Amino acid sequence: MKKISVIVPVYNIEEYIERCIKSILEQSFKNFELLLIDDGSTDNSGSICDQFALRDNRIKVFHQRNRGVSYARNTGIKNAQGSFIAFVDGDDWVKHDYLEVLYEQLNMTGSDICICGGNEVDERMNELRTCTYQKIEKIEWDDKRLYDWPFFTYVIHRMLVRKQLLEGKAFDESLTNGEDVLFITELFLNASKGVVFLPYVGYSYYIRISGANQHKKYSKKKFSAIIAYEKRLDIMKSAGLDMNPNWYRSFLLEVYRLYGFIAYNSEYYDKRHADLLFGFLKKYHVYSDVLGNGVRFRIKYWLMRHFQFYLEHELKKSELPHGHIVGDQL
């Protein structure tokens, strides 16, 4: 039986998938299987996966019609034979000792999850930024620090998880963005043996310069993330955690950042989404002082709703770390 199953969703990344596969096959830790989930690629990605599988029996390739990254990851989880699970995206790559370092720390600390740092690299192989942790630290599931910056990570990469922790769990396939947030929150809440964080940068995210301005195309996806974040708050509250006002504050800031985007870009304006976002502000403002309380809140609420300049003024005052590695320590 393989110790580790590495799950890689693949969709139209023929230019990058070979680099990703090679970085996994060249691991210093050898006892693993690599599950490549071809999610209906229309380029040569699936064929490249098949060619690698012919040369290395540790590789299993699954071809399916395009259903999205959550469905692809769920396919990988269902077919994984390892005792531990790692997720890697097909245009990213990992250091040669990535699996070894995380596996050794899990065994040494007896934790359920091990998380390391990562960096972002552009098309010219320039390092854009790095996030990591300051020291080796183990945190228990009921410690509020686990669900807040800098420990909570918003992406499923950079971690190794005991497979038994995934039993009965799946990525929410109804979400087009933010599915990682819900999945990780549920993992943390069930990590009875704790989560260990490492000051080791083992994962590299590939940032395409050509795609740097594509965020406007994904306003609907960003709205999906807001739905996921609200569900996350409900899950944590239902688990009996002593709720932290910072969690509501971060959520509210993301809500009205997105409102500012869709409300004042006519090309992407969606009244239903705008109304729902403002509904979130009204529902949750009592948990945080981000918009004030009482009369102060009502005045701000009305001004933001009717005047773009005031919303922009408020947004400039409320910047938080955000981006590809949202919530991590920079």
Side-chain angles (χ1 to χ4, degrees):
M1 180 176 175
K2 297 297 184 184
K3 283 289 185 183
I4 298 176
S5 296
V6 183
I7 297 172
V8 179
V10 178
Y11 179 69
N12 287 353
I13 47 173
E14 60 182 4
E15 298 177 57
Y16 315 109
I17 185 60
E18 183 172 343
R19 176 180 59 195
C20 175
I21 293 174
K22 285 183 176 179
S23 77
I24 297 170
L25 295 181
E26 294 169 358
Q27 289 293 296
S28 56
F29 186 95
K30 303 299 183 183
N31 189 12
F32 68 86
E33 63 174 357
L34 173 56
L35 282 66
L36 301 172
I37 317 299
D38 174 26
D39 189 40
S41 296
T42 57
D43 62 3
N44 292 317
S45 298
S47 176
I48 293 172
C49 292
D50 289 336
Q51 292 170 25
F52 271 98
L54 290 174
R55 303 198 295 267
D56 195 313
N57 61 15
R58 293 176 296 179
I59 298 177
K60 299 177 183 177
V61 182
F62 299 85
H63 298 281
Q64 60 189 35
R65 66 184 180 89
N66 182 242
R67 299 284 293 272
V69 67
S70 291
Y71 191 90
R73 287 174 179 161
N74 288 338
T75 297
I77 292 172
K78 291 174 185 175
N79 290 278
Q81 299 297 311
S83 301
F84 303 86
I85 304 289
F87 297 92
V88 178
D89 274 359
D91 52 356
D92 299 334
W93 63 95
V94 292
K95 279 189 176 180
H96 76 284
D97 59 350
Y98 175 72
L99 294 179
E100 181 179 4
V101 170
L102 270 62
Y103 177 74
E104 286 183 351
Q105 282 296 326
L106 270 185
N107 275 340
M108 190 180 306
T109 62
S111 304
D112 280 322
I113 303 171
C114 182
I115 302 177
C116 72
N119 62 0
E120 295 180 345
V121 181
D122 68 15
E123 292 172 338
R124 299 187 182 94
M125 292 295 110
N126 297 315
E127 188 172 284
L128 302 177
R129 66 171 179 163
T130 299
C131 74
T132 189
Y133 303 96
Q134 299 302 306
K135 61 181 179 179
I136 297 177
E137 186 165 2
K138 182 176 178 178
I139 299 181
E140 301 303 324
W141 73 271
D142 57 350
D143 187 327
K144 287 198 296 185
R145 293 180 300 158
L146 187 59
Y147 304 92
D148 203 0
W149 183 89
F151 293 107
F152 187 82
T153 175
Y154 287 67
V155 289
I156 195 65
H157 325 108
R158 303 187 290 107
M159 65 174 67
L160 186 63
V161 183
R162 291 187 187 275
K163 186 184 178 184
Q164 62 189 35
L165 211 63
L166 277 63
E167 292 180 5
K169 296 178 180 58
F171 287 90
D172 189 332
E173 296 168 10
S174 69
L175 297 171
T176 55
N177 201 357
E179 70 285 345
D180 285 12
V181 172
L182 288 183
F183 193 78
I184 294 168
T185 300
E186 291 182 345
L187 290 184
F188 281 9
L189 288 170
N190 285 276
S192 59
K193 298 178 181 178
V195 182
V196 62
F197 298 86
L198 306 182
Y200 160 76
V201 180
Y203 192 102
S204 292
Y205 298 92
Y206 185 55
I207 306 300
R208 304 176 208 179
I209 297 174
S210 58
N213 295 317
Q214 290 184 356
H215 64 283
K216 288 187 177 181
K217 296 181 181 178
Y218 298 114
S219 59
K220 296 291 192 298
K221 285 191 174 184
K222 291 186 177 183
F223 183 80
S224 174
I226 294 296
I227 299 299
Y229 297 154
E230 191 205 17
K231 288 183 178 180
R232 175 179 184 251
L233 292 174
D234 287 340
I235 289 173
M236 293 191 297
K237 192 172 182 179
S238 297
L241 287 180
D242 183 14
M243 300 299 282
N244 187 335
N246 285 336
W247 300 338
Y248 292 104
R249 177 180 175 82
S250 298
F251 171 69
L252 287 171
L253 289 173
E254 293 298 336
V255 167
Y256 84 100
R257 275 200 198 101
L258 182 55
Y259 178 82
F261 175 75
I262 67 172
Y264 297 111
N265 283 276
S266 58
E267 183 180 354
Y268 307 104
Y269 180 72
D270 185 313
K271 185 179 186 305
R272 184 177 68 87
H273 283 183
D275 289 344
L276 283 170
L277 290 171
F278 254 86
F280 288 152
L281 293 179
K282 191 172 183 180
K283 176 180 178 181
Y284 289 105
H285 85 275
V286 295
Y287 297 106
S288 173
D289 64 355
V290 65
L291 296 178
N293 292 297
V295 175
R296 183 183 172 197
F297 166 76
R298 289 194 292 272
I299 292 173
K300 281 191 173 186
Y301 183 90
W302 188 87
L303 287 171
M304 284 190 299
R305 185 94 188 205
H306 292 88
F307 299 103
Q308 179 178 357
F309 77 88
Y310 184 78
L311 178 63
E312 291 174 348
H313 167 73
E314 287 295 306
L315 292 176
K316 286 177 182 177
K317 296 193 305 182
S318 64
E319 286 302 311
L320 285 177
H322 63 286
H324 191 76
I325 317 179
V326 177
D328 291 331
Q329 185 167 341
L330 302 177

mmCIF file of all heavy atoms in Angstrom, residues 263-290:
data_model
loop_
_atom_site.group_PDB
_atom_site.id
_atom_site.type_symbol
_atom_site.label_atom_id
_atom_site.label_comp_id
_atom_site.label_asym_id
_atom_site.label_seq_id
_atom_site.Cartn_x
_atom_site.Cartn_y
_atom_site.Cartn_z
ATOM 1 N N ALA A 263 -20.905 46.752 -8.272
ATOM 2 C CA ALA A 263 -21.891 47.828 -8.262
ATOM 3 C C ALA A 263 -21.504 48.979 -9.175
ATOM 4 O O ALA A 263 -22.370 49.672 -9.716
ATOM 5 C CB ALA A 263 -22.092 48.344 -6.838
ATOM 6 N N TYR A 264 -20.192 49.168 -9.377
ATOM 7 C CA TYR A 264 -19.747 50.326 -10.148
ATOM 8 C C TYR A 264 -18.978 49.939 -11.407
ATOM 9 O O TYR A 264 -18.201 50.717 -11.943
ATOM 10 C CB TYR A 264 -18.919 51.245 -9.254
ATOM 11 C CG TYR A 264 -19.747 51.783 -8.107
ATOM 12 C CD1 TYR A 264 -19.502 51.383 -6.803
ATOM 13 C CD2 TYR A 264 -20.797 52.657 -8.338
ATOM 14 C CE1 TYR A 264 -20.280 51.859 -5.752
ATOM 15 C CE2 TYR A 264 -21.581 53.136 -7.304
ATOM 16 C CZ TYR A 264 -21.320 52.733 -6.015
ATOM 17 O OH TYR A 264 -22.095 53.204 -4.995
ATOM 18 N N ASN A 265 -19.176 48.703 -11.872
ATOM 19 C CA ASN A 265 -18.709 48.268 -13.183
ATOM 20 C C ASN A 265 -19.938 47.790 -13.939
ATOM 21 O O ASN A 265 -20.389 46.657 -13.760
ATOM 22 C CB ASN A 265 -17.683 47.131 -13.062
ATOM 23 C CG ASN A 265 -16.319 47.630 -12.650
ATOM 24 O OD1 ASN A 265 -15.524 48.062 -13.474
ATOM 25 N ND2 ASN A 265 -16.041 47.584 -11.347
ATOM 26 N N SER A 266 -20.482 48.658 -14.764
ATOM 27 C CA SER A 266 -21.764 48.355 -15.412
ATOM 28 C C SER A 266 -21.717 47.056 -16.204
ATOM 29 O O SER A 266 -22.717 46.347 -16.315
ATOM 30 C CB SER A 266 -22.180 49.513 -16.329
ATOM 31 O OG SER A 266 -21.184 49.758 -17.302
ATOM 32 N N GLU A 267 -20.549 46.737 -16.743
ATOM 33 C CA GLU A 267 -20.432 45.517 -17.548
ATOM 34 C C GLU A 267 -20.679 44.263 -16.717
ATOM 35 O O GLU A 267 -21.132 43.240 -17.225
ATOM 36 C CB GLU A 267 -19.036 45.457 -18.175
ATOM 37 C CG GLU A 267 -18.824 44.258 -19.090
ATOM 38 C CD GLU A 267 -17.439 44.236 -19.693
ATOM 39 O OE1 GLU A 267 -16.689 45.222 -19.491
ATOM 40 O OE2 GLU A 267 -17.106 43.250 -20.362
ATOM 41 N N TYR A 268 -20.385 44.337 -15.408
ATOM 42 C CA TYR A 268 -20.493 43.166 -14.551
ATOM 43 C C TYR A 268 -21.575 43.301 -13.485
ATOM 44 O O TYR A 268 -21.680 42.461 -12.600
ATOM 45 C CB TYR A 268 -19.136 42.907 -13.868
ATOM 46 C CG TYR A 268 -18.011 42.817 -14.852
ATOM 47 C CD1 TYR A 268 -17.118 43.871 -15.004
ATOM 48 C CD2 TYR A 268 -17.852 41.702 -15.658
ATOM 49 C CE1 TYR A 268 -16.090 43.814 -15.929
ATOM 50 C CE2 TYR A 268 -16.837 41.627 -16.590
ATOM 51 C CZ TYR A 268 -15.959 42.689 -16.717
ATOM 52 O OH TYR A 268 -14.957 42.624 -17.635
ATOM 53 N N TYR A 269 -22.357 44.372 -13.571
ATOM 54 C CA TYR A 269 -23.358 44.612 -12.532
ATOM 55 C C TYR A 269 -24.404 43.509 -12.519
ATOM 56 O O TYR A 269 -24.913 43.084 -13.553
ATOM 57 C CB TYR A 269 -24.039 45.960 -12.742
ATOM 58 C CG TYR A 269 -25.079 46.246 -11.681
ATOM 59 C CD1 TYR A 269 -24.693 46.548 -10.380
ATOM 60 C CD2 TYR A 269 -26.439 46.192 -11.973
ATOM 61 C CE1 TYR A 269 -25.631 46.799 -9.384
ATOM 62 C CE2 TYR A 269 -27.389 46.439 -10.988
ATOM 63 C CZ TYR A 269 -26.974 46.739 -9.699
ATOM 64 O OH TYR A 269 -27.907 46.974 -8.723
ATOM 65 N N ASP A 270 -24.702 43.037 -11.340
ATOM 66 C CA ASP A 270 -25.709 42.000 -11.133
ATOM 67 C C ASP A 270 -26.521 42.425 -9.915
ATOM 68 O O ASP A 270 -26.031 42.374 -8.780
ATOM 69 C CB ASP A 270 -25.028 40.649 -10.887
ATOM 70 C CG ASP A 270 -26.024 39.498 -10.775
ATOM 71 O OD1 ASP A 270 -27.022 39.661 -10.046
ATOM 72 O OD2 ASP A 270 -25.809 38.458 -11.401
ATOM 73 N N LYS A 271 -27.750 42.887 -10.143
ATOM 74 C CA LYS A 271 -28.562 43.438 -9.048
ATOM 75 C C LYS A 271 -28.800 42.403 -7.954
ATOM 76 O O LYS A 271 -28.750 42.723 -6.759
ATOM 77 C CB LYS A 271 -29.897 43.957 -9.581
ATOM 78 C CG LYS A 271 -30.741 44.652 -8.501
ATOM 79 C CD LYS A 271 -32.041 45.176 -9.064
ATOM 80 C CE LYS A 271 -32.793 45.987 -8.012
ATOM 81 N NZ LYS A 271 -33.028 45.217 -6.767
ATOM 82 N N ARG A 272 -29.074 41.162 -8.348
ATOM 83 C CA ARG A 272 -29.353 40.130 -7.346
ATOM 84 C C ARG A 272 -28.138 39.927 -6.441
ATOM 85 O O ARG A 272 -28.266 39.844 -5.218
ATOM 86 C CB ARG A 272 -29.711 38.814 -8.029
ATOM 87 C CG ARG A 272 -30.117 37.706 -7.049
ATOM 88 C CD ARG A 272 -30.536 36.458 -7.784
ATOM 89 N NE ARG A 272 -29.413 35.830 -8.456
ATOM 90 C CZ ARG A 272 -28.600 34.938 -7.865
ATOM 91 N NH1 ARG A 272 -28.794 34.594 -6.605
ATOM 92 N NH2 ARG A 272 -27.614 34.390 -8.537
ATOM 93 N N HIS A 273 -26.943 39.869 -7.048
ATOM 94 C CA HIS A 273 -25.735 39.704 -6.255
ATOM 95 C C HIS A 273 -25.476 40.922 -5.382
ATOM 96 O O HIS A 273 -25.094 40.792 -4.208
ATOM 97 C CB HIS A 273 -24.532 39.454 -7.169
ATOM 98 C CG HIS A 273 -24.480 38.065 -7.706
ATOM 99 N ND1 HIS A 273 -23.459 37.598 -8.503
ATOM 100 C CD2 HIS A 273 -25.339 37.016 -7.558
ATOM 101 C CE1 HIS A 273 -23.685 36.340 -8.819
ATOM 102 N NE2 HIS A 273 -24.826 35.968 -8.261
ATOM 103 N N ALA A 274 -25.687 42.116 -5.941
ATOM 104 C CA ALA A 274 -25.476 43.345 -5.169
ATOM 105 C C ALA A 274 -26.396 43.377 -3.954
ATOM 106 O O ALA A 274 -25.970 43.716 -2.843
ATOM 107 C CB ALA A 274 -25.700 44.562 -6.049
ATOM 108 N N ASP A 275 -27.655 43.011 -4.146
ATOM 109 C CA ASP A 275 -28.613 43.016 -3.039
ATOM 110 C C ASP A 275 -28.240 41.974 -1.974
ATOM 111 O O ASP A 275 -28.351 42.228 -0.764
ATOM 112 C CB ASP A 275 -30.024 42.745 -3.557
ATOM 113 C CG ASP A 275 -30.581 43.928 -4.348
ATOM 114 O OD1 ASP A 275 -30.020 45.035 -4.226
ATOM 115 O OD2 ASP A 275 -31.565 43.727 -5.088
ATOM 116 N N LEU A 276 -27.788 40.803 -2.425
ATOM 117 C CA LEU A 276 -27.397 39.768 -1.475
ATOM 118 C C LEU A 276 -26.176 40.203 -0.666
ATOM 119 O O LEU A 276 -26.096 39.969 0.546
ATOM 120 C CB LEU A 276 -27.090 38.462 -2.217
ATOM 121 C CG LEU A 276 -28.308 37.650 -2.679
ATOM 122 C CD1 LEU A 276 -27.874 36.528 -3.603
ATOM 123 C CD2 LEU A 276 -29.070 37.084 -1.483
ATOM 124 N N LEU A 277 -25.224 40.856 -1.326
ATOM 125 C CA LEU A 277 -24.028 41.326 -0.627
ATOM 126 C C LEU A 277 -24.390 42.351 0.439
ATOM 127 O O LEU A 277 -23.876 42.305 1.562
ATOM 128 C CB LEU A 277 -23.033 41.916 -1.633
ATOM 129 C CG LEU A 277 -22.353 40.901 -2.565
ATOM 130 C CD1 LEU A 277 -21.565 41.609 -3.647
ATOM 131 C CD2 LEU A 277 -21.451 39.965 -1.774
ATOM 132 N N PHE A 278 -25.264 43.279 0.088
ATOM 133 C CA PHE A 278 -25.677 44.257 1.088
ATOM 134 C C PHE A 278 -26.488 43.606 2.206
ATOM 135 O O PHE A 278 -26.451 44.045 3.354
ATOM 136 C CB PHE A 278 -26.459 45.406 0.437
ATOM 137 C CG PHE A 278 -25.642 46.660 0.359
ATOM 138 C CD1 PHE A 278 -24.790 46.870 -0.710
ATOM 139 C CD2 PHE A 278 -25.698 47.592 1.369
ATOM 140 C CE1 PHE A 278 -24.002 48.003 -0.773
ATOM 141 C CE2 PHE A 278 -24.916 48.732 1.316
ATOM 142 C CZ PHE A 278 -24.058 48.939 0.240
ATOM 143 N N GLY A 279 -27.197 42.537 1.869
ATOM 144 C CA GLY A 279 -27.907 41.783 2.898
ATOM 145 C C GLY A 279 -26.935 41.175 3.907
ATOM 146 O O GLY A 279 -27.210 41.149 5.113
ATOM 147 N N PHE A 280 -25.776 40.701 3.411
ATOM 148 C CA PHE A 280 -24.756 40.162 4.309
ATOM 149 C C PHE A 280 -24.230 41.255 5.242
ATOM 150 O O PHE A 280 -24.001 41.019 6.425
ATOM 151 C CB PHE A 280 -23.592 39.578 3.508
ATOM 152 C CG PHE A 280 -23.923 38.293 2.800
ATOM 153 C CD1 PHE A 280 -23.254 37.936 1.638
ATOM 154 C CD2 PHE A 280 -24.883 37.432 3.294
ATOM 155 C CE1 PHE A 280 -23.549 36.752 0.983
ATOM 156 C CE2 PHE A 280 -25.189 36.238 2.648
ATOM 157 C CZ PHE A 280 -24.507 35.899 1.488
ATOM 158 N N LEU A 281 -24.013 42.453 4.682
ATOM 159 C CA LEU A 281 -23.529 43.559 5.514
ATOM 160 C C LEU A 281 -24.514 43.852 6.644
ATOM 161 O O LEU A 281 -24.126 44.052 7.797
ATOM 162 C CB LEU A 281 -23.325 44.816 4.660
ATOM 163 C CG LEU A 281 -22.203 44.770 3.615
ATOM 164 C CD1 LEU A 281 -22.149 46.078 2.845
ATOM 165 C CD2 LEU A 281 -20.859 44.490 4.271
ATOM 166 N N LYS A 282 -25.783 43.872 6.287
ATOM 167 C CA LYS A 282 -26.811 44.180 7.285
ATOM 168 C C LYS A 282 -26.921 43.069 8.327
ATOM 169 O O LYS A 282 -27.113 43.325 9.517
ATOM 170 C CB LYS A 282 -28.151 44.385 6.584
ATOM 171 C CG LYS A 282 -29.233 44.955 7.472
ATOM 172 C CD LYS A 282 -30.469 45.315 6.664
ATOM 173 C CE LYS A 282 -31.533 45.960 7.540
ATOM 174 N NZ LYS A 282 -32.745 46.323 6.752
ATOM 175 N N LYS A 283 -26.768 41.811 7.886
ATOM 176 C CA LYS A 283 -26.927 40.666 8.777
ATOM 177 C C LYS A 283 -25.774 40.531 9.761
ATOM 178 O O LYS A 283 -25.987 40.214 10.941
ATOM 179 C CB LYS A 283 -27.040 39.380 7.944
ATOM 180 C CG LYS A 283 -27.122 38.095 8.765
ATOM 181 C CD LYS A 283 -27.220 36.884 7.847
ATOM 182 C CE LYS A 283 -27.254 35.581 8.645
ATOM 183 N NZ LYS A 283 -27.337 34.398 7.742
ATOM 184 N N TYR A 284 -24.554 40.801 9.300
ATOM 185 C CA TYR A 284 -23.384 40.485 10.108
ATOM 186 C C TYR A 284 -22.705 41.686 10.749
ATOM 187 O O TYR A 284 -21.762 41.506 11.525
ATOM 188 C CB TYR A 284 -22.355 39.730 9.251
ATOM 189 C CG TYR A 284 -22.771 38.323 8.906
ATOM 190 C CD1 TYR A 284 -23.213 37.991 7.625
ATOM 191 C CD2 TYR A 284 -22.729 37.313 9.865
ATOM 192 C CE1 TYR A 284 -23.606 36.704 7.316
ATOM 193 C CE2 TYR A 284 -23.112 36.015 9.565
ATOM 194 C CZ TYR A 284 -23.545 35.721 8.285
ATOM 195 O OH TYR A 284 -23.934 34.441 7.990
ATOM 196 N N HIS A 285 -23.149 42.887 10.451
ATOM 197 C CA HIS A 285 -22.420 44.043 10.985
ATOM 198 C C HIS A 285 -22.428 44.087 12.512
ATOM 199 O O HIS A 285 -21.542 44.651 13.132
ATOM 200 C CB HIS A 285 -23.004 45.347 10.409
ATOM 201 C CG HIS A 285 -24.189 45.863 11.152
ATOM 202 N ND1 HIS A 285 -25.464 45.419 10.900
ATOM 203 C CD2 HIS A 285 -24.287 46.764 12.174
ATOM 204 C CE1 HIS A 285 -26.299 46.031 11.712
ATOM 205 N NE2 HIS A 285 -25.627 46.853 12.484
ATOM 206 N N VAL A 286 -23.432 43.464 13.137
ATOM 207 C CA VAL A 286 -23.518 43.493 14.600
ATOM 208 C C VAL A 286 -22.383 42.703 15.257
ATOM 209 O O VAL A 286 -22.100 42.883 16.442
ATOM 210 C CB VAL A 286 -24.872 42.931 15.085
ATOM 211 C CG1 VAL A 286 -26.008 43.816 14.631
ATOM 212 C CG2 VAL A 286 -25.081 41.500 14.590
ATOM 213 N N TYR A 287 -21.725 41.821 14.474
ATOM 214 C CA TYR A 287 -20.647 41.011 15.025
ATOM 215 C C TYR A 287 -19.287 41.693 14.903
ATOM 216 O O TYR A 287 -18.289 41.193 15.414
ATOM 217 C CB TYR A 287 -20.576 39.659 14.304
ATOM 218 C CG TYR A 287 -21.799 38.811 14.484
ATOM 219 C CD1 TYR A 287 -22.704 38.642 13.441
ATOM 220 C CD2 TYR A 287 -22.050 38.165 15.693
ATOM 221 C CE1 TYR A 287 -23.845 37.855 13.596
ATOM 222 C CE2 TYR A 287 -23.171 37.374 15.856
ATOM 223 C CZ TYR A 287 -24.071 37.220 14.796
ATOM 224 O OH TYR A 287 -25.175 36.444 14.964
ATOM 225 N N SER A 288 -19.224 42.802 14.191
ATOM 226 C CA SER A 288 -17.942 43.455 13.965
ATOM 227 C C SER A 288 -18.134 44.957 13.869
ATOM 228 O O SER A 288 -19.188 45.445 13.454
ATOM 229 C CB SER A 288 -17.296 42.924 12.667
ATOM 230 O OG SER A 288 -16.143 43.653 12.340
ATOM 231 N N ASP A 289 -17.079 45.690 14.224
ATOM 232 C CA ASP A 289 -17.153 47.148 14.160
ATOM 233 C C ASP A 289 -16.679 47.706 12.832
ATOM 234 O O ASP A 289 -16.476 48.905 12.694
ATOM 235 C CB ASP A 289 -16.320 47.771 15.293
ATOM 236 C CG ASP A 289 -14.839 47.451 15.151
ATOM 237 O OD1 ASP A 289 -14.471 46.680 14.238
ATOM 238 O OD2 ASP A 289 -14.045 47.979 15.953
ATOM 239 N N VAL A 290 -16.485 46.834 11.831
ATOM 240 C CA VAL A 290 -15.931 47.294 10.564
ATOM 241 C C VAL A 290 -16.786 48.388 9.925
ATOM 242 O O VAL A 290 -16.280 49.283 9.255
ATOM 243 C CB VAL A 290 -15.753 46.107 9.593
ATOM 244 C CG1 VAL A 290 -17.075 45.490 9.199
ATOM 245 C CG2 VAL A 290 -15.010 46.557 8.341
#
